[in-house]
Amino acid sequence: MATEHIVVVGAGQMGAGIAQVALQAGLRVSLVDVNKDGLAKGADRIKAGLKKLVEKGKLDAAKQQAAEANLATFTSARDAKDVDVAIEAVTENEDLKRRIFLELDEVVRPGGILATNTSSIPITRIAAATKRPESVIGMHFMNPVPVMQLVELIRGAATSDETYATIRTMAERMGKTTVVSKDYPGFIVNRILIPMLNEACFALMEGLGTAEDIDTAMKLGTNQPMGPLQLADFIGLDTVLYIAEVLHKGLGDSKYRPCPLLRQYVDAGWYGKKSGRGFYKY
């Protein structure tokens, strides 16, 4: 299936990033967000990202202008027309995502594809809310999208081979490398990453070391660019906790139980970098 027009729902950091790489690939993009201010900020973030690429010599001015001309913004997905693929990139809330997919089912043309950027919610359950479960797939981008090369593709129980092939081709057109995961809690990346971050929280709670020492040990001892506690702050401690809860509930194993210190920080509103305080102050 040829893909030329996509709608991205959610104009936050992830949605804007997805829209940007799609525009760089020559796709026409409709960016949707019910929040007008958030939508404007998302569009500005995209334009700033394209401008920075031009300044670095990674994109020529003509392609920048073409990309900006291919961007449209709407406060309702229903205003987007002739959509080939929809990519939902809103917050990790299953009820919200299912409501959005009900709407997108009516927006995307017959034969078109509905993708979700969820990092943990089962694709099969999201697909069940639509009339076309065979056309629903997980397309999990990494943050920040314009920089990170990986996209996890997650096939639900009903996802067709054609849907998978089309989305893989589109991701590669965006310059991404894809991996395929079964539709199990956390998929590949978060199934491995979140328990590591959670264990770092336990290490801190138990006084194994200070936050700085734990992060330095992991950076220098395992050659990671960022320590686990700092990374958790950058992801958002509320998001880390949510995914940990999904893993614990979905896999039923006590080894995935969220650290009480992580839960306490979230209860305090210390979400990490975005709130100004997490394991570190910003």
Side-chain angles (χ1 to χ4, degrees):
M1 185 191 83
T3 302
E4 294 302 328
H5 180 203
I6 72 169
V7 59
V8 178
V9 181
Q13 187 173 6
M14 290 300 295
I18 293 168
Q20 180 183 322
V21 295
L23 290 165
Q24 290 170 213
L27 295 169
R28 191 157 53 94
V29 178
S30 292
L31 182 65
V32 176
D33 200 300
V34 294
N35 184 301
K36 288 184 178 180
D37 290 339
L39 184 61
K41 288 178 181 178
D44 288 343
R45 185 181 287 117
I46 292 167
K47 292 174 183 177
L50 294 171
K51 181 180 179 182
K52 186 177 293 185
L53 290 174
V54 173
E55 292 171 350
K56 291 182 176 180
K58 295 182 178 180
L59 187 72
D60 63 51
K63 288 185 178 179
Q64 175 196 14
Q65 292 174 0
E68 291 184 3
N70 277 333
L71 175 65
T73 58
F74 301 102
T75 54
S76 172
R78 296 186 186 279
D79 293 330
K81 307 298 181 185
D82 302 318
V83 177
D84 300 314
V85 175
I87 303 176
E88 167 273 312
V90 302
T91 187
E92 285 289 270
N93 179 299
E94 185 171 346
D95 289 339
L96 174 61
K97 289 180 185 289
R98 287 170 67 92
R99 290 198 302 271
I100 289 172
F101 267 70
L102 282 171
E103 181 177 358
L104 292 177
D105 209 3
E106 305 300 323
V107 172
V108 176
R109 66 172 179 76
I113 293 172
L114 308 178
T116 173
N117 183 55
T118 181
S119 59
S120 60
I121 299 170
I123 307 305
T124 301
R125 287 213 302 261
I126 294 175
T130 77
K131 299 173 183 176
R132 54 175 107 183
E134 72 284 351
S135 299
V136 177
I137 191 168
M139 195 178 190
H140 180 209
F141 290 82
M142 304 296 122
N143 189 28
V145 178
V147 176
M148 300 294 281
Q149 190 176 3
L150 181 69
V151 173
E152 277 186 309
L153 301 181
I154 306 97
R155 300 182 65 157
T159 304
S160 70
D161 291 341
E162 181 182 6
T163 295
Y164 163 71
T166 299
I167 291 300
R168 178 178 177 179
T169 297
M170 188 176 79
E172 291 173 346
R173 180 175 171 181
M174 294 178 184
K176 303 302 182 183
T177 297
T178 64
V179 296
V180 183
S181 172
K182 289 187 176 180
D183 191 17
Y184 291 161
F187 315 136
I188 295 173
V189 173
N190 282 327
R191 172 73 175 268
I192 297 169
L193 175 64
I194 296 302
M196 183 187 76
L197 304 186
N198 193 47
E199 193 62 28
C201 297
F202 273 111
L204 181 64
M205 184 182 74
E206 294 166 8
L208 187 63
T210 64
E212 292 81 0
D213 282 347
I214 290 169
D215 278 350
T216 299
M218 292 302 292
K219 283 192 291 184
L220 301 184
T222 62
N223 201 28
Q224 297 182 34
M226 187 181 294
L229 297 174
Q230 185 184 11
L231 178 57
D233 273 357
F234 274 61
I235 293 171
L237 301 190
D238 51 337
T239 300
V240 173
L241 176 60
Y242 178 83
I243 300 172
E245 290 173 334
V246 168
L247 290 173
H248 190 209
K249 180 179 179 181
L251 297 170
D253 192 322
S254 62
K255 73 179 181 180
Y256 297 110
R257 71 193 186 284
C259 175
L261 183 63
L262 173 62
R263 192 180 298 280
Q264 183 183 60
Y265 275 35
V266 172
D267 287 344
W270 299 349
Y271 300 147
K273 187 177 181 182
K274 62 186 176 184
S275 69
R277 181 170 182 176
F279 294 110
Y280 299 91
K281 292 182 179 179
Y282 300 89

